[in-house]
Amino acid sequence: MKHLTQAYRALANRHGLGAALFVAIAVTLWVVVFITLPQLSMLDYSFRFNLPADQIGTDADHYTLSNFHSFFFNADGSLNTLDLVILGRTLLAAAIVTLIDVLICYPIAYILAHGAKGVAARLMVIGLILPYWINEILRAFAFRVLFGATGVVNTVGMQMGLWDVPVDFIRADVALYFGLSYAYILLMIFPMYNAIEALDHTQVEAARDMGAPLWRVHWRVVLPIAKPGIVSGATMVFMLTAGALAAPQILGGPSNLWFTQVIYQWFNESSNWPRGSAYAVVLLLTCISFVLLMMRVFKVSVGEIGK
Amino acid sequence: MPETSPVNSPDRSVLLDHVSIRFGNFTAVDNANLKINSGEFFSFLGPSGCGKTTLLRCISGFSDPTEGRVLIGAKDMKGVGPNKRPTALIFQHLALFPLMSVADNIAFPLEVRGVSKKERRRKAEELLDMIALPGIGDKKVSELSGGQKQRVAIARALAVQPDILLLDEPLSALDLKLRQHMRTELRAIQQQVGVTFIYITHDQGEALTMSDRVAVMSKGVIEQVGAPDQIYNRPRSSFVASFVGENNALKGVVKRQSEDMAALETPMGTFEARVGGGRKYKPGDEALLFVRPEQLVPGQAENAFQATLSRQEFEGATNHVFARAGDTELRVSMVNAGLAGSVGSKGDTLSLGFAPMNATILPVGQIASEA
Ligand SMILES: Nc1ncnc2c1ncn2[C@@H]1O[C@H](COP(=O)(O)OP(=O)(O)O)[C@@H](O)[C@H]1O
Ligand SMILES: [Mg+2]
């Protein structure tokens, strides 16, 4: 709070009271209306029964843990393996997608920051951004077309004689992994780029000059500088992937549900908002715990990510 | 016949064999052709932008010459990357690794070569002793002062005993006092380790005080190579004469030349002086006469002329006197004679002169601008 007051004073001194007030009100509105209130009402829902409209506000309408209980246990007291497994698989898949993105984006971010110059660099950035002008759902469908039985991948693969029967990339979740890895790639590249760009390129040359092979230059010199950027990008990609709905709906195999799809079903198909809310809270909490755990493992503080 | 052991006396020479480096149409280094001897302290001296860094990067392997060859220890270095050359480069801004401790920085070249952790630590301590900074191994780089960083960078470069140490204006970030101290220290380290030092700088004081030999560069061209006193006393081009140390330039017309002496007719009178660079002039050729401020002596009978004192800058031991003779402003350095002597005051007429041997006649050419 002290820091906030300080920041506000500094702003008021530099840009005048009007600007400071505007920023203060805008930030407060943003935090309260867009972040705190929806989450609080979601939290509130998650502790309530799914009552018909005429019973709301009556004695029957009181707080309960039943929604959370039924996430973990079936009615007969056995573990609710169905939902638990879906959550676990979603988190695992999100982690794999995040890892794939780290591997793809690191070289791109490095080249963008230290290799490409002038026109080449600008073309690269445009090439990265342009596809995002296209709607997310359209992009997902494009992947579906690409990986469909008569899609480009199957056609080329069969013509080259790599396989002779169309491969069901959708059922095998290949299309899903591609689509999800692609979906949030920018959110990985830019924080990484930011971090790597801060590296003085002569350090890379110095390491080379001292005889280091490329892998060691990256391991010892570039990666430590890139780490906060990687973690920051990974956090966003992981959270968004775990919470993605469109791509799993469109590209997911029929047998594999994404956890968000389960939530969606509770809200929409079953009209059980409290149960859906409870599931959403569970997803949020597990994601946050997972991210915090990873930050512990990689020894990165929250402050570093904000840089 | 005595056996010469190649292990005890490695060939640490560098040969630049007609090296040119171009960026597109722009020639950054133009036909550099010289040999740097094993164990020598060799400097490239030139104004900023003259191609020094470009040449150094080429020797260390970060770029290839567009034309010509670089030979280190008589071996052609074509296609040999910076990580495979027996050179170590100290970058202009040092390029210490900010996220590693001082000891890890110094031991990095050893880490690369697979030396064990314990041995690396031992060697780092040893190098820290050498640079007179014992016990700072666990500090962060950001905790060091400018001079300490400088020395750590030297220690890191010497960790695996390169044959050739390349230094790119390593003292330019330090303040004056420290810079002068580090000159002495660098020279001492070089004598101690016997490695060939190739040092680049735009500071002529550094180049002259530390080096065995100096190459003066201008716009990619090596103008002159020689020992510091040769460069200073026997400049071979107007650029060298004007860039290295202070100099007065008088423009005139050659009247006659005999062997290595000539007479030059200037608006201030006709002066006898040594011909620089072994050149031949015909009567009537335009030329420049360079005479250093400390060679203009009051009361000197040879090449005498009169000038009017216009201002003085007193600097303790030396008094910098500016005098006008016609349209020409001259710099005269006089040793402070203390209370017993006086230079005179503004408007006084000075009778000055200089020994013909101590002035140089050179072709009209590029004059290095002030500072
Ligand atoms: N990679 C490059 N591409 C184009 N021009 C360059 C490059 N590197 C250096 N130059 C040019 O070459 C000239 C010499 O540069 P440099 O060697 O850094 O000079 P110095 O170290 O003597 O100050 C400069 O004019 C610089 O602009
Ligand atoms: Mg330079």
Side-chain angles (χ1 to χ4, degrees), chain A:
Chain A
M1 200 60 217
K2 209 174 107 214
H3 291 291
L4 279 181
T5 337
Q6 261 173 15
Y8 175 74
R9 292 242 171 78
L11 204 66
N13 286 339
R14 191 154 351 128
H15 299 289
L17 205 59
L21 261 172
F22 173 75
V23 172
I25 291 172
V27 169
T28 312
L29 271 182
W30 176 270
V31 171
V32 173
V33 177
F34 294 122
I35 302 176
T36 318
L37 284 182
Q39 293 300 331
L40 278 181
S41 65
M42 185 82 108
L43 200 64
D44 181 61
Y45 264 122
S46 70
F47 289 108
R48 289 181 185 276
F49 292 105
N50 191 28
L51 297 171
D54 57 353
Q55 285 187 38
I56 287 174
T58 63
D59 284 350
D61 190 4
H62 59 83
Y63 286 123
T64 172
L65 283 173
S66 69
N67 293 316
F68 291 96
H69 188 268
S70 41
F71 167 71
F72 288 105
F73 303 103
N74 293 318
D76 61 5
S78 61
L79 267 183
N80 182 1
T81 42
L82 187 70
D83 289 347
L84 285 170
V85 165
I86 291 178
L87 176 63
R89 243 192 350 233
T90 303
L91 292 182
L92 182 68
I96 292 174
V97 166
T98 307
L99 191 68
I100 292 174
D101 274 1
V102 170
L103 295 180
I104 294 176
C105 295
Y106 178 79
I108 298 179
Y110 180 78
I111 291 170
L112 210 55
H114 288 280
K117 288 197 183 70
V119 180
R122 254 170 281 147
L123 279 180
M124 253 176 107
V125 173
I126 291 173
L128 284 168
I129 292 176
L130 218 54
Y132 287 86
W133 290 7
I134 297 162
N135 176 294
E136 185 189 2
I137 296 181
L138 275 183
R139 270 186 283 137
F141 271 112
F143 270 97
R144 205 184 164 99
V145 173
L146 212 62
F147 284 103
T150 55
V152 178
V153 178
N154 265 318
T155 317
V156 172
M158 287 194 302
Q159 264 173 12
M160 283 171 64
L162 296 177
W163 58 85
D164 12 85
V165 194
V167 179
D168 192 346
F169 289 113
I170 307 288
R171 186 173 292 276
D173 276 343
V174 173
L176 179 62
Y177 276 93
F178 264 89
L180 282 172
S181 304
Y182 181 67
Y184 307 110
I185 216 162
L186 280 189
L187 294 170
M188 183 67 90
I189 287 183
F190 284 118
M192 249 191 213
Y193 169 81
N194 243 345
I196 297 180
E197 213 223 348
L199 170 73
D200 176 3
H201 191 68
T202 54
Q203 281 176 28
V204 174
E205 294 191 326
R208 284 293 280 164
D209 190 55
M210 285 179 267
L214 271 183
W215 70 265
R216 196 189 288 274
V217 175
H218 283 276
W219 182 246
R220 292 287 276 142
V221 179
V222 187
L223 260 180
I225 297 250
K227 201 168 75 173
I230 296 177
V231 174
S232 153
T235 310
M236 282 194 277
V237 169
F238 177 79
M239 291 282 198
L240 287 171
T241 308
L245 183 60
Q249 276 301 31
I250 296 163
L251 295 169
S255 54
N256 280 343
L257 272 186
W258 208 252
F259 195 68
T260 46
Q261 287 172 288
V262 177
I263 298 175
Y264 182 79
Q265 281 172 4
W266 281 118
F267 271 97
N268 269 23
E269 282 152 40
S270 316
S271 288
N272 191 341
W273 284 36
R275 184 93 182 251
S277 299
Y279 276 42
V281 169
V282 166
L283 178 64
L284 182 67
L285 290 182
T286 39
C287 280
I288 290 177
S289 325
F290 185 79
V291 165
L292 289 178
L293 180 75
M294 286 300 120
M295 280 166 58
R296 275 298 267 276
V297 170
F298 290 105
K299 299 200 186 75
V300 177
S301 69
V302 179
E304 273 180 283
I305 288 184
K307 267 195 233 165

Side-chain angles (χ1 to χ4, degrees), chain B residues 16-33:
Chain B
L16 302 180
D17 178 15
H18 298 279
V19 169
S20 292
I21 304 165
R22 279 186 256 282
F23 301 110
N25 287 329
F26 176 73
T27 304
V29 175
D30 192 358
N31 197 20
N33 193 34

